[in-house]
Amino acid sequence: MHERERIGREGIGRQGSEGDSLAALRRRVEEIQHAGAPAAGAARGHMALGAPLDGALGGGLALGALHEVFACDKGNGAAALGFALAIAAGTRRPVVWVRQDLAALEGGDLYGPGCAAFGLDPARLIVVHGADATDTLAAAEEALRHAVLGLVVVEPWGMPARLDLTATRRLALRAERSGVPALLLRSAAEPVPSAAATRWLASAAPSGAAGAPAFCLGPPAFALELARNRAGPTGRWIVEWNAHARRFAPAPRRPAAAPPAHRPAASQGPARADGPAPVVVGPFERRAG
C-alpha cells in the first residue's frame, strides 16, 4: 500500500461537498474510537515534552488549549514542521493533521516511514487536506469536537485574511471544550495577535552523535524560543529530540573545532605573507577577499 494512503488522507473540497467531507472525517474519528482508542474525556493537564521545556510550561504543553509554532525565518520551515511532529509523537492518542493544499505543495507530503522514525506511528495519524484556509479551519474545528483525539495540528499556508484573531479564538474555545490541544503550525507566516496560550519560534540547530565524527548524523536538534507563555515564563533552549523516549533533552555542549595542525588559529601567529589573514567561519577556514 502506498505510504500516503496508509496515513489516511481525507480530501476537503475535492470529493463532494464540504459537508460530505466533514461527515467523512466524523466517521473516521468514530471508527478510531470504536477500535479501542484510550478512553477520552475533557482532559485537563499537560503533555510532557521533556526537560527543560516542561519547567517553563508548568509540567508540559497545556491540554485543552491552542498553541502556535512559527519558523524563525523562511529557511526554517522544516524545523517548525519537525517540532510539530515531535509534539504529535508525544501523545498515545490519534492525531488529526489538517493541511492546506499549498502547505503540502510547498513543504512536501508527510511521509509514513519518516513519521515512524520520528516516533509518530502513522497508524495513529489522519491527514486531512483543505483546498483553502476556510476549509482547513472548518475541518480543524470539526476535529476539535472529538475528545478521543490526542492532538489536532492545523497547518494553513501564508497569511490568509480568514485566519484572524476571531478564528484563533474559535479554535481555542473548541480545544478548551474537548480538552484536546490544538497546534497551529505557521511555517510561512509572521506572528500576529492570536488567542494562543503559547507561541514557539523554531529553527534548526547543529546535531551530531556523541563521540562520533563531526560528519555523522545525530538526533534532530532545535533552537526553540518560547516567545509567549500565558501560564509562566518565556525562554530559549537548544534541545535534541529522542524519538525512542519521545521527549526533548538539552543538547550537549559541543567543543569548538580545532584549527588544522599545519595552520595556526586565526588569532595566533603573524598574518600570511601571500594575502590577507584567514577568516574563521565555524569549524572551517577560508581566505578573505
Side-chain angles (χ1 to χ4, degrees), residues 22-33:
L22 293 179
L25 175 59
R26 294 187 195 104
R27 290 193 298 271
R28 179 71 180 108
V29 174
E30 290 171 359
E31 289 172 2
I32 291 174
Q33 186 171 7

Side-chain angles (χ1 to χ4, degrees), residues 102-139:
L102 276 175
L105 289 173
E106 295 289 340
D109 281 331
L110 296 175
Y111 183 51
C115 292
F118 223 77
L120 176 58
D121 182 359
R124 294 191 294 105
L125 182 61
I126 305 171
V127 180
V128 181
H129 281 255
D132 52 28
T134 299
D135 285 350
T136 301
L137 292 172

Side-chain angles (χ1 to χ4, degrees), residues 186-284:
R186 311 293 308 278
S187 298
E190 297 293 332
V192 293
S194 78
T198 66
R199 173 177 292 166
W200 298 85
L201 307 179
S203 61
S207 174
F215 57 81
C216 290
L217 294 177
F222 301 86
L224 300 176
E225 178 182 354
L226 180 56
R228 172 197 291 176
N229 183 10
R230 296 188 186 276
T234 57
R236 297 180 180 180
W237 302 270
I238 305 293
V239 294
E240 289 184 344
W241 173 246
N242 186 322
H244 299 288
R246 293 184 296 179
R247 292 290 186 272
F248 288 100
R253 291 183 176 272
R254 307 193 186 283
H262 63 286
R263 294 181 181 177
S267 59
Q268 299 175 352
R272 300 167 187 258
D274 57 345
V279 177
V280 176
V281 181
F284 304 104

Side-chain angles (χ1 to χ4, degrees), residues 72-99:
C72 281
D73 52 52
K74 293 181 179 179
N76 276 291
L81 177 63
F83 183 52
L85 275 173
I87 293 174
T91 176
R92 294 182 301 167
R93 299 181 185 274
V95 174
V96 170
W97 195 304
V98 187
R99 310 189 80 196

